[in-house]
Amino acid sequence: MATPKSRPRDGYPGRALALILVVTVGLVALMFGTGNTKPRLGIDLAGGTSITLTAKSDDPKAINKSNMNIAVGIIQKRVNGMGVSEAEVQTEGDKNIVVNIPKGGDRQSAADQVGTTAKLFFRPVLAYAPSGVKATAPTASPSATTSGSPAAAPTPSPTATAGSTAAAASPSASKAGRAVGEALLADPTASASAPAASPSASAAAASPSAAATAPTEAEMTAALTQGTVPAELQAQFAAMDCSDPAQRKDYQSTDITKTTVACSSDPEQGYYDKFALGPVQVNGSDVSKAQAVIDTQNAAGWQVQLQFNDKGSKAFATTTGALSTQASPANQFAIVLDGGVVSHPQVNETISGGSAVISGSFTQSDAQQLANVLSFGALPLSFAQSDVVTVSPQLGGDQLKAGLIAGLIGMVLVIIYSLIYYRGLGLVSIGGLLVSAALTYSIMSLLGAGIGFALNLPAVCGAIVAIGITADSFIVYFERIRDEVREGAPLRPAVQRAWPRARRTILVSDFVSFLCAAVLYLVSVGKVQGFAFTLGLTTALDVVVIFLFTKPLITLLARKKFFSDGHPWSGLDPKRLGARPPIRGTRRRTSAPSATKEA
Amino acid sequence: MSRFSNLGHRLYQGEVSFDFVGRRKLWYSISGVIVLVAAIGLAMGLHLGIEFKGGSVYTVQKPGLSVAQVQTAANDVTHGSSALVQSTDKGKIRVQISSEETQSPDSIRNGLSKALDIPVQEIDSQVIGPSWGHQISQKALLGLVIFMVLVTIYLAIAFEWRMAAAALVALIHDLLITIGVYALVGFEVTPGTVIGFLTILGYSLYDTVVVFDTVKENTKGLTKQSKLTYSEAANAGLNQTLVRSINTTVVALLPVAALLFIGGGLLGAGTLNDISLALFIGLAAGAYSSICVATPLLAQLKEEQPEMKALAKRVAQRRASEAKAKAEAEANGEAVPEGEEFADEDLPAGMVGQRAQGAGRSRNKGRPSTKR
């Protein structure tokens, strides 16, 4: 960064200027060339939803980088799997995950999806029934559901394929969600047995979809309930309407040793299932591993392999032993994630050994999603939503506009001030500010594409504040030059002599600024980080601009007659600066020769 | 303008000099009073924004909508009266609901949408967990402490420990004043404000560093002469950088003022306002403290050094003897060409006019050491 000491008196100002010109033009060209002509805007400026999740755990060591990265990966998949494109998920600080969903994204479902994290339980199914017939999006006509069967009978026959998995209303083989008819088996790779009757696959594909508007929730429940609802849950179960988002909440948060009700977490064929569930048998944190695999051996398609730890294995063996003797639907095991039933495979046999397979008519993405849920549940982390901001594009645009206007006015004020005060030199500071602005803008645009840097409101503030910092450096140098001129030095030596002293001051103070920005960036979170980043970037650029632009430009200008003769408009008029005071002329004369000698 | 730049020259030459260092007691008492008031304000407590308490904020906008209407709607939705409804700029109305409210933010949002007949997508919302602001400020505080330690070490190496200490005191002084203003006036403290506070750190030190840089230069080899005490040399350095300090502060304040008055004025309360308000107060305090607190304190610390004490003694002795010589000369009826040479202490402390210097001395202004 420092100029070489061996350079000639005046240096080669042209070279430095050419260098920064090339760099600036290069960056701007790169910006246009790659088409990233605008900085990426944060949610607060562009509109959209930003969700900040903070990891919580009883074990502080559990909140570590690798766990956080796993969580980010899974949340990313989930959010993007929701059809929210361009959602970005990243860690922030050491225990936050920020999910940014740009405008137009399905805010509601994304927020829900992000919210469903990490509380995973295995509970036996006691009873279930379809609930509600509407999918998430309300439509004008009640019968026009996604099922595509307008002539729905008041009492559809969901149990047409009885004997198999007793899917309440068997899903079609369409790509819609996860198949309900799933079976929990011992892992065939672990034990050679396991005939894998795969009863579900055919069943699931066989029955046509049958969704209907039910007269009332209670009536439908009464007609369609599979299994026996325990007495204590009956009223709650009958009244529950899973089509109402408010009712699809987590009922099991308090006591996991009790029976509870739950809704399926995703609608199948446009409606939800509701469940009466037994006490928690296996905790999700006892799942050590889950992965989606394709079963080539038995041609059972995609399935999910599960691995339990010791504690989980024992509990799982006991429970599956008990469940396998039950009749449908009480032989099913519900996988409940944050209160929503993700999957409810039936159990055909006692599964000991800690390995199991959930098979069913999975598509690849279904299987992977379920595996993710299981793996994520296995993480000892849960997340709390710390900050959820929804900004309409309108407000975001207003904020950006206000920031830009403020920045522009600030810049104009600084320019006017430096022109009035420094006259000709003011032109140099204008040039410096413009170069600085061009560099900052192009680097920000490129960083947006490169590392996903998003310009948020505090970052805009940082950039505006940086105008002052950049101008400060000019002032330090200008004042030093003027000091030298006041001492009586001719301009060219004055410019050279002022430089080492100004340089030290600028470097020291910029270092302090940069240190501040760096520390803040490293330790802080959220908005503070964006601000610190801009401040650090602009401080670094300030050094570049002063070394490669201001100094060489002034050196060049000092050779021009306009400046070296101290034209009244140059800002370096010795008379104005008092270098030739009328009264003490004698002293001035004595000092002038010694001025050139020094440096 | 020309007057001002002339002032710059006269300040530089020492023709006009503000005795900042000599009046340190005045500055200390002013700062003391301000800090005390700020401390009282702090004791009264800061007005923390919703980010620190947890809750949700909704912004609605619709032509003709009144605050009362929104309040009613909010009360209906929450079945209570705890919602804080404020009108902000441009017809926007802000509804703040504390975290004690049991309803889910989504249902509140939907409720407001229905009650006010505004599409849900057009209601901006922010839901904040109660620990979020706490986390932000805790991290900020951590950053503050780390930064202070690092910068003190850096200043102690680049300059010396006394400068580091004086800069640190000035920094804390600025922070206290800024926070105190917030407490007293009752401005809301948001994460944006915290950002503003943090920026003051860098800026306050930036200013102090520039002043100290000149002071350091002015006092190099000071002990080898007997014309100036440390305090006087420091004050001279301060005066030389005064124009620069004023200029940099003005230049730094201009964009911040633009942010505060234009950015904030266009939008009403918001992050822009929060950051710029804190910055504005802090920058002004920073400029004041680097001149009136940091440097006088530094001089005071330095005067405690044995060699500086010896210097002060020598200076006093020399002045006494020269005054004696002068008196004798005057008694002999001789003209005294540089009669004002030692007039410093006799003049009123605030502005010292015409501190005339010996012939040929001007080249070494601020560098009194080597040739004397």
PDB file of all heavy atoms in Angstrom, chain A residues 96 107 386 388 390 392 417 472 487 501 504-505 523 531 584 594, chain B residues 15 106 124-127 129 135 139 199 213 217 247-248 363:
ATOM      1  N   ASN A  96     -27.440 -18.064  15.006  1.00  0.00           N
ATOM      2  CA  ASN A  96     -28.633 -17.610  14.307  1.00  0.00           C
ATOM      3  C   ASN A  96     -28.659 -18.122  12.879  1.00  0.00           C
ATOM      4  O   ASN A  96     -27.618 -18.292  12.254  1.00  0.00           O
ATOM      5  CB  ASN A  96     -28.680 -16.084  14.262  1.00  0.00           C
ATOM      6  CG  ASN A  96     -28.859 -15.508  15.634  1.00  0.00           C
ATOM      7  OD1 ASN A  96     -29.769 -15.906  16.360  1.00  0.00           O
ATOM      8  ND2 ASN A  96     -27.991 -14.604  16.009  1.00  0.00           N
ATOM      9  N   ARG A 107     -45.054 -16.287   1.748  1.00  0.00           N
ATOM     10  CA  ARG A 107     -44.560 -15.937   3.056  1.00  0.00           C
ATOM     11  C   ARG A 107     -45.080 -16.868   4.141  1.00  0.00           C
ATOM     12  O   ARG A 107     -44.357 -17.407   4.944  1.00  0.00           O
ATOM     13  CB  ARG A 107     -44.994 -14.509   3.378  1.00  0.00           C
ATOM     14  CG  ARG A 107     -44.375 -13.933   4.590  1.00  0.00           C
ATOM     15  CD  ARG A 107     -45.224 -12.823   5.126  1.00  0.00           C
ATOM     16  NE  ARG A 107     -46.352 -13.345   5.860  1.00  0.00           N
ATOM     17  CZ  ARG A 107     -46.306 -13.672   7.139  1.00  0.00           C
ATOM     18  NH1 ARG A 107     -45.205 -13.521   7.802  1.00  0.00           N
ATOM     19  NH2 ARG A 107     -47.362 -14.153   7.758  1.00  0.00           N
ATOM     20  N   SER A 386     -36.591 -15.378  16.329  1.00  0.00           N
ATOM     21  CA  SER A 386     -36.212 -14.169  17.056  1.00  0.00           C
ATOM     22  C   SER A 386     -36.803 -12.934  16.428  1.00  0.00           C
ATOM     23  O   SER A 386     -37.133 -11.980  17.102  1.00  0.00           O
ATOM     24  CB  SER A 386     -34.701 -14.016  17.057  1.00  0.00           C
ATOM     25  OG  SER A 386     -34.124 -15.078  17.721  1.00  0.00           O
ATOM     26  N   VAL A 388     -39.066 -11.754  12.919  1.00  0.00           N
ATOM     27  CA  VAL A 388     -39.702 -12.015  11.640  1.00  0.00           C
ATOM     28  C   VAL A 388     -40.145 -10.675  11.073  1.00  0.00           C
ATOM     29  O   VAL A 388     -40.990 -10.012  11.650  1.00  0.00           O
ATOM     30  CB  VAL A 388     -40.924 -12.935  11.791  1.00  0.00           C
ATOM     31  CG1 VAL A 388     -41.519 -13.228  10.428  1.00  0.00           C
ATOM     32  CG2 VAL A 388     -40.553 -14.215  12.496  1.00  0.00           C
ATOM     33  N   THR A 390     -41.677  -8.614   7.882  1.00  0.00           N
ATOM     34  CA  THR A 390     -42.285  -8.644   6.560  1.00  0.00           C
ATOM     35  C   THR A 390     -42.383  -7.216   6.078  1.00  0.00           C
ATOM     36  O   THR A 390     -42.958  -6.367   6.752  1.00  0.00           O
ATOM     37  CB  THR A 390     -43.693  -9.251   6.625  1.00  0.00           C
ATOM     38  OG1 THR A 390     -43.593 -10.500   7.266  1.00  0.00           O
ATOM     39  CG2 THR A 390     -44.237  -9.439   5.235  1.00  0.00           C
ATOM     40  N   SER A 392     -43.363  -4.827   2.823  1.00  0.00           N
ATOM     41  CA  SER A 392     -43.970  -4.800   1.497  1.00  0.00           C
ATOM     42  C   SER A 392     -43.001  -4.107   0.553  1.00  0.00           C
ATOM     43  O   SER A 392     -42.232  -3.256   0.962  1.00  0.00           O
ATOM     44  CB  SER A 392     -45.300  -4.051   1.535  1.00  0.00           C
ATOM     45  OG  SER A 392     -45.077  -2.710   1.896  1.00  0.00           O
ATOM     46  N   TYR A 417     -19.509  22.161   0.260  1.00  0.00           N
ATOM     47  CA  TYR A 417     -18.649  22.644   1.335  1.00  0.00           C
ATOM     48  C   TYR A 417     -17.191  22.626   0.898  1.00  0.00           C
ATOM     49  O   TYR A 417     -16.465  23.597   1.093  1.00  0.00           O
ATOM     50  CB  TYR A 417     -18.843  21.785   2.588  1.00  0.00           C
ATOM     51  CG  TYR A 417     -18.111  22.311   3.799  1.00  0.00           C
ATOM     52  CD1 TYR A 417     -18.682  23.294   4.588  1.00  0.00           C
ATOM     53  CD2 TYR A 417     -16.859  21.829   4.136  1.00  0.00           C
ATOM     54  CE1 TYR A 417     -18.015  23.781   5.696  1.00  0.00           C
ATOM     55  CE2 TYR A 417     -16.186  22.307   5.236  1.00  0.00           C
ATOM     56  CZ  TYR A 417     -16.767  23.281   6.020  1.00  0.00           C
ATOM     57  OH  TYR A 417     -16.105  23.763   7.117  1.00  0.00           O
ATOM     58  N   ASP A 472     -12.936  13.242   5.017  1.00  0.00           N
ATOM     59  CA  ASP A 472     -12.007  13.539   6.113  1.00  0.00           C
ATOM     60  C   ASP A 472     -10.559  13.402   5.681  1.00  0.00           C
ATOM     61  O   ASP A 472      -9.717  14.234   5.996  1.00  0.00           O
ATOM     62  CB  ASP A 472     -12.247  12.573   7.274  1.00  0.00           C
ATOM     63  CG  ASP A 472     -13.223  13.164   8.274  1.00  0.00           C
ATOM     64  OD1 ASP A 472     -13.780  14.225   7.977  1.00  0.00           O
ATOM     65  OD2 ASP A 472     -13.403  12.560   9.333  1.00  0.00           O
ATOM     66  N   GLU A 487       3.732  28.000   5.524  1.00  0.00           N
ATOM     67  CA  GLU A 487       5.120  28.119   5.954  1.00  0.00           C
ATOM     68  C   GLU A 487       5.942  28.809   4.892  1.00  0.00           C
ATOM     69  O   GLU A 487       7.098  29.122   5.102  1.00  0.00           O
ATOM     70  CB  GLU A 487       5.722  26.738   6.208  1.00  0.00           C
ATOM     71  CG  GLU A 487       4.975  25.920   7.230  1.00  0.00           C
ATOM     72  CD  GLU A 487       5.502  26.157   8.626  1.00  0.00           C
ATOM     73  OE1 GLU A 487       6.494  26.902   8.740  1.00  0.00           O
ATOM     74  OE2 GLU A 487       4.929  25.626   9.583  1.00  0.00           O
ATOM     75  N   ARG A 501       3.393  13.227   6.360  1.00  0.00           N
ATOM     76  CA  ARG A 501       2.698  13.498   7.627  1.00  0.00           C
ATOM     77  C   ARG A 501       1.203  13.188   7.487  1.00  0.00           C
ATOM     78  O   ARG A 501       0.605  12.570   8.372  1.00  0.00           O
ATOM     79  CB  ARG A 501       2.904  14.954   8.023  1.00  0.00           C
ATOM     80  CG  ARG A 501       4.376  15.309   8.129  1.00  0.00           C
ATOM     81  CD  ARG A 501       4.576  16.811   8.101  1.00  0.00           C
ATOM     82  NE  ARG A 501       4.217  17.423   9.376  1.00  0.00           N
ATOM     83  CZ  ARG A 501       3.986  18.725   9.511  1.00  0.00           C
ATOM     84  NH1 ARG A 501       4.063  19.522   8.475  1.00  0.00           N
ATOM     85  NH2 ARG A 501       3.658  19.205  10.695  1.00  0.00           N
ATOM     86  N   ARG A 504       0.608   9.426   7.418  1.00  0.00           N
ATOM     87  CA  ARG A 504       0.610   8.731   8.702  1.00  0.00           C
ATOM     88  C   ARG A 504      -0.714   8.957   9.439  1.00  0.00           C
ATOM     89  O   ARG A 504      -1.317   8.031   9.959  1.00  0.00           O
ATOM     90  CB  ARG A 504       1.783   9.213   9.555  1.00  0.00           C
ATOM     91  CG  ARG A 504       2.081   8.226  10.662  1.00  0.00           C
ATOM     92  CD  ARG A 504       3.076   8.774  11.633  1.00  0.00           C
ATOM     93  NE  ARG A 504       2.567   9.977  12.255  1.00  0.00           N
ATOM     94  CZ  ARG A 504       3.356  10.874  12.852  1.00  0.00           C
ATOM     95  NH1 ARG A 504       4.652  10.694  12.872  1.00  0.00           N
ATOM     96  NH2 ARG A 504       2.825  11.933  13.416  1.00  0.00           N
ATOM     97  N   THR A 505      -1.135  10.228   9.451  1.00  0.00           N
ATOM     98  CA  THR A 505      -2.392  10.521  10.136  1.00  0.00           C
ATOM     99  C   THR A 505      -3.546   9.716   9.539  1.00  0.00           C
ATOM    100  O   THR A 505      -4.345   9.111  10.254  1.00  0.00           O
ATOM    101  CB  THR A 505      -2.715  12.022  10.021  1.00  0.00           C
ATOM    102  OG1 THR A 505      -1.578  12.760  10.431  1.00  0.00           O
ATOM    103  CG2 THR A 505      -3.903  12.377  10.867  1.00  0.00           C
ATOM    104  N   VAL A 523     -18.011  -9.965  15.703  1.00  0.00           N
ATOM    105  CA  VAL A 523     -18.763 -10.395  16.881  1.00  0.00           C
ATOM    106  C   VAL A 523     -20.272 -10.150  16.768  1.00  0.00           C
ATOM    107  O   VAL A 523     -21.032 -10.786  17.481  1.00  0.00           O
ATOM    108  CB  VAL A 523     -18.268  -9.728  18.186  1.00  0.00           C
ATOM    109  CG1 VAL A 523     -16.834 -10.050  18.450  1.00  0.00           C
ATOM    110  CG2 VAL A 523     -18.489  -8.235  18.154  1.00  0.00           C
ATOM    111  N   PHE A 531     -23.903  -3.149   8.590  1.00  0.00           N
ATOM    112  CA  PHE A 531     -23.356  -1.815   8.763  1.00  0.00           C
ATOM    113  C   PHE A 531     -21.839  -1.877   8.850  1.00  0.00           C
ATOM    114  O   PHE A 531     -21.137  -1.126   8.177  1.00  0.00           O
ATOM    115  CB  PHE A 531     -23.937  -1.216  10.033  1.00  0.00           C
ATOM    116  CG  PHE A 531     -23.490   0.168  10.316  1.00  0.00           C
ATOM    117  CD1 PHE A 531     -24.090   1.236   9.693  1.00  0.00           C
ATOM    118  CD2 PHE A 531     -22.480   0.397  11.212  1.00  0.00           C
ATOM    119  CE1 PHE A 531     -23.682   2.523   9.964  1.00  0.00           C
ATOM    120  CE2 PHE A 531     -22.063   1.681  11.489  1.00  0.00           C
ATOM    121  CZ  PHE A 531     -22.670   2.745  10.859  1.00  0.00           C
ATOM    122  N   ARG A 584       4.893  40.868   8.678  1.00  0.00           N
ATOM    123  CA  ARG A 584       6.109  40.158   9.027  1.00  0.00           C
ATOM    124  C   ARG A 584       6.828  39.603   7.801  1.00  0.00           C
ATOM    125  O   ARG A 584       7.179  38.450   7.739  1.00  0.00           O
ATOM    126  CB  ARG A 584       5.796  39.022   9.975  1.00  0.00           C
ATOM    127  CG  ARG A 584       5.623  39.506  11.383  1.00  0.00           C
ATOM    128  CD  ARG A 584       5.297  38.377  12.273  1.00  0.00           C
ATOM    129  NE  ARG A 584       3.863  38.063  12.198  1.00  0.00           N
ATOM    130  CZ  ARG A 584       2.955  38.631  12.970  1.00  0.00           C
ATOM    131  NH1 ARG A 584       3.306  39.513  13.856  1.00  0.00           N
ATOM    132  NH2 ARG A 584       1.689  38.310  12.852  1.00  0.00           N
ATOM    133  N   SER A 594      14.785  27.628   3.905  1.00  0.00           N
ATOM    134  CA  SER A 594      14.909  26.423   4.735  1.00  0.00           C
ATOM    135  C   SER A 594      13.790  25.427   4.409  1.00  0.00           C
ATOM    136  O   SER A 594      13.927  24.241   4.639  1.00  0.00           O
ATOM    137  CB  SER A 594      14.865  26.792   6.216  1.00  0.00           C
ATOM    138  OG  SER A 594      13.536  27.063   6.601  1.00  0.00           O
TER     139      SER A 594
ATOM    140  N   GLU B  15      -0.991  33.022  16.015  1.00  0.00           N
ATOM    141  CA  GLU B  15      -1.386  34.413  16.260  1.00  0.00           C
ATOM    142  C   GLU B  15      -2.688  34.459  17.041  1.00  0.00           C
ATOM    143  O   GLU B  15      -2.892  35.292  17.901  1.00  0.00           O
ATOM    144  CB  GLU B  15      -1.567  35.141  14.925  1.00  0.00           C
ATOM    145  CG  GLU B  15      -0.245  35.407  14.235  1.00  0.00           C
ATOM    146  CD  GLU B  15      -0.449  35.803  12.796  1.00  0.00           C
ATOM    147  OE1 GLU B  15      -1.583  36.151  12.430  1.00  0.00           O
ATOM    148  OE2 GLU B  15       0.532  35.765  12.035  1.00  0.00           O
ATOM    149  N   ASP B 106     -49.634 -13.994  13.189  1.00  0.00           N
ATOM    150  CA  ASP B 106     -50.357 -14.146  11.934  1.00  0.00           C
ATOM    151  C   ASP B 106     -51.836 -13.844  12.086  1.00  0.00           C
ATOM    152  O   ASP B 106     -52.456 -13.222  11.227  1.00  0.00           O
ATOM    153  CB  ASP B 106     -50.179 -15.563  11.387  1.00  0.00           C
ATOM    154  CG  ASP B 106     -48.886 -15.684  10.613  1.00  0.00           C
ATOM    155  OD1 ASP B 106     -48.526 -14.690   9.948  1.00  0.00           O
ATOM    156  OD2 ASP B 106     -48.243 -16.734  10.703  1.00  0.00           O
ATOM    157  N   ASP B 124     -47.145  -4.466   6.665  1.00  0.00           N
ATOM    158  CA  ASP B 124     -45.785  -4.838   7.025  1.00  0.00           C
ATOM    159  C   ASP B 124     -45.781  -5.278   8.469  1.00  0.00           C
ATOM    160  O   ASP B 124     -46.471  -4.712   9.300  1.00  0.00           O
ATOM    161  CB  ASP B 124     -44.853  -3.635   6.870  1.00  0.00           C
ATOM    162  CG  ASP B 124     -44.771  -3.187   5.429  1.00  0.00           C
ATOM    163  OD1 ASP B 124     -44.617  -4.072   4.576  1.00  0.00           O
ATOM    164  OD2 ASP B 124     -44.894  -1.988   5.171  1.00  0.00           O
ATOM    165  N   SER B 125     -45.002  -6.295   8.722  1.00  0.00           N
ATOM    166  CA  SER B 125     -44.989  -6.749  10.113  1.00  0.00           C
ATOM    167  C   SER B 125     -43.598  -7.134  10.536  1.00  0.00           C
ATOM    168  O   SER B 125     -42.750  -7.481   9.723  1.00  0.00           O
ATOM    169  CB  SER B 125     -45.926  -7.939  10.282  1.00  0.00           C
ATOM    170  OG  SER B 125     -45.373  -9.069   9.686  1.00  0.00           O
ATOM    171  N   GLN B 126     -43.386  -7.041  11.815  1.00  0.00           N
ATOM    172  CA  GLN B 126     -42.133  -7.516  12.378  1.00  0.00           C
ATOM    173  C   GLN B 126     -42.450  -8.194  13.697  1.00  0.00           C
ATOM    174  O   GLN B 126     -43.125  -7.622  14.541  1.00  0.00           O
ATOM    175  CB  GLN B 126     -41.158  -6.356  12.598  1.00  0.00           C
ATOM    176  CG  GLN B 126     -39.817  -6.850  13.087  1.00  0.00           C
ATOM    177  CD  GLN B 126     -38.785  -5.754  13.208  1.00  0.00           C
ATOM    178  OE1 GLN B 126     -39.118  -4.580  13.223  1.00  0.00           O
ATOM    179  NE2 GLN B 126     -37.534  -6.142  13.308  1.00  0.00           N
ATOM    180  N   VAL B 127     -42.025  -9.412  13.810  1.00  0.00           N
ATOM    181  CA  VAL B 127     -42.260 -10.153  15.041  1.00  0.00           C
ATOM    182  C   VAL B 127     -40.913 -10.402  15.683  1.00  0.00           C
ATOM    183  O   VAL B 127     -40.008 -10.927  15.045  1.00  0.00           O
ATOM    184  CB  VAL B 127     -42.954 -11.490  14.745  1.00  0.00           C
ATOM    185  CG1 VAL B 127     -43.293 -12.197  16.045  1.00  0.00           C
ATOM    186  CG2 VAL B 127     -44.189 -11.273  13.911  1.00  0.00           C
ATOM    187  N   GLY B 129     -38.660 -11.823  18.904  1.00  0.00           N
ATOM    188  CA  GLY B 129     -38.549 -12.586  20.137  1.00  0.00           C
ATOM    189  C   GLY B 129     -37.943 -11.694  21.203  1.00  0.00           C
ATOM    190  O   GLY B 129     -37.152 -10.812  20.903  1.00  0.00           O
ATOM    191  N   GLN B 135     -29.865 -10.019  22.529  1.00  0.00           N
ATOM    192  CA  GLN B 135     -28.734 -10.680  21.876  1.00  0.00           C
ATOM    193  C   GLN B 135     -27.916  -9.673  21.064  1.00  0.00           C
ATOM    194  O   GLN B 135     -26.690  -9.667  21.130  1.00  0.00           O
ATOM    195  CB  GLN B 135     -29.263 -11.791  20.973  1.00  0.00           C
ATOM    196  CG  GLN B 135     -28.185 -12.764  20.569  1.00  0.00           C
ATOM    197  CD  GLN B 135     -28.700 -13.747  19.538  1.00  0.00           C
ATOM    198  OE1 GLN B 135     -29.888 -14.016  19.465  1.00  0.00           O
ATOM    199  NE2 GLN B 135     -27.809 -14.272  18.738  1.00  0.00           N
ATOM    200  N   LYS B 139     -24.093  -8.661  21.969  1.00  0.00           N
ATOM    201  CA  LYS B 139     -23.004  -8.816  21.003  1.00  0.00           C
ATOM    202  C   LYS B 139     -22.326  -7.477  20.773  1.00  0.00           C
ATOM    203  O   LYS B 139     -21.105  -7.397  20.636  1.00  0.00           O
ATOM    204  CB  LYS B 139     -23.555  -9.326  19.671  1.00  0.00           C
ATOM    205  CG  LYS B 139     -24.109 -10.718  19.753  1.00  0.00           C
ATOM    206  CD  LYS B 139     -23.093 -11.706  19.276  1.00  0.00           C
ATOM    207  CE  LYS B 139     -23.640 -13.094  19.442  1.00  0.00           C
ATOM    208  NZ  LYS B 139     -22.654 -14.105  19.150  1.00  0.00           N
ATOM    209  N   THR B 199     -20.848   3.218  15.908  1.00  0.00           N
ATOM    210  CA  THR B 199     -20.103   4.008  14.931  1.00  0.00           C
ATOM    211  C   THR B 199     -19.408   5.169  15.584  1.00  0.00           C
ATOM    212  O   THR B 199     -18.343   5.599  15.156  1.00  0.00           O
ATOM    213  CB  THR B 199     -21.059   4.547  13.858  1.00  0.00           C
ATOM    214  OG1 THR B 199     -21.977   3.528  13.548  1.00  0.00           O
ATOM    215  CG2 THR B 199     -20.304   4.950  12.643  1.00  0.00           C
ATOM    216  N   ASP B 213      -2.007  12.907  16.802  1.00  0.00           N
ATOM    217  CA  ASP B 213      -0.920  12.769  15.854  1.00  0.00           C
ATOM    218  C   ASP B 213      -0.127  14.069  15.771  1.00  0.00           C
ATOM    219  O   ASP B 213       1.104  14.071  15.801  1.00  0.00           O
ATOM    220  CB  ASP B 213      -1.510  12.397  14.488  1.00  0.00           C
ATOM    221  CG  ASP B 213      -0.474  11.756  13.607  1.00  0.00           C
ATOM    222  OD1 ASP B 213       0.289  10.922  14.122  1.00  0.00           O
ATOM    223  OD2 ASP B 213      -0.417  12.097  12.420  1.00  0.00           O
ATOM    224  N   GLU B 217       3.695  15.049  17.255  1.00  0.00           N
ATOM    225  CA  GLU B 217       4.704  15.660  16.425  1.00  0.00           C
ATOM    226  C   GLU B 217       5.247  16.929  17.077  1.00  0.00           C
ATOM    227  O   GLU B 217       6.446  17.166  17.082  1.00  0.00           O
ATOM    228  CB  GLU B 217       4.026  16.011  15.099  1.00  0.00           C
ATOM    229  CG  GLU B 217       4.942  15.942  13.926  1.00  0.00           C
ATOM    230  CD  GLU B 217       4.135  16.176  12.680  1.00  0.00           C
ATOM    231  OE1 GLU B 217       3.620  15.195  12.145  1.00  0.00           O
ATOM    232  OE2 GLU B 217       3.988  17.336  12.281  1.00  0.00           O
ATOM    233  N   ASN B 247     -13.533  21.237  10.163  1.00  0.00           N
ATOM    234  CA  ASN B 247     -13.913  20.821   8.809  1.00  0.00           C
ATOM    235  C   ASN B 247     -14.337  19.360   8.754  1.00  0.00           C
ATOM    236  O   ASN B 247     -15.343  19.026   8.129  1.00  0.00           O
ATOM    237  CB  ASN B 247     -12.743  21.042   7.849  1.00  0.00           C
ATOM    238  CG  ASN B 247     -12.720  22.464   7.323  1.00  0.00           C
ATOM    239  OD1 ASN B 247     -13.662  23.218   7.566  1.00  0.00           O
ATOM    240  ND2 ASN B 247     -11.679  22.832   6.629  1.00  0.00           N
ATOM    241  N   THR B 248     -13.543  18.504   9.367  1.00  0.00           N
ATOM    242  CA  THR B 248     -13.909  17.083   9.284  1.00  0.00           C
ATOM    243  C   THR B 248     -15.228  16.831   9.999  1.00  0.00           C
ATOM    244  O   THR B 248     -16.040  16.042   9.544  1.00  0.00           O
ATOM    245  CB  THR B 248     -12.821  16.182   9.897  1.00  0.00           C
ATOM    246  OG1 THR B 248     -12.481  16.687  11.164  1.00  0.00           O
ATOM    247  CG2 THR B 248     -11.605  16.119   9.015  1.00  0.00           C
ATOM    248  N   ARG B 363       9.523  28.730  11.018  1.00  0.00           N
ATOM    249  CA  ARG B 363       9.723  27.448  10.338  1.00  0.00           C
ATOM    250  C   ARG B 363       9.543  26.287  11.304  1.00  0.00           C
ATOM    251  O   ARG B 363       9.135  25.211  10.946  1.00  0.00           O
ATOM    252  CB  ARG B 363      11.144  27.377   9.784  1.00  0.00           C
ATOM    253  CG  ARG B 363      11.308  27.299   8.284  1.00  0.00           C
ATOM    254  CD  ARG B 363      10.244  26.570   7.576  1.00  0.00           C
ATOM    255  NE  ARG B 363      10.270  25.145   7.786  1.00  0.00           N
ATOM    256  CZ  ARG B 363       9.245  24.363   7.522  1.00  0.00           C
ATOM    257  NH1 ARG B 363       8.118  24.855   7.078  1.00  0.00           N
ATOM    258  NH2 ARG B 363       9.328  23.087   7.698  1.00  0.00           N
TER     259      ARG B 363
END
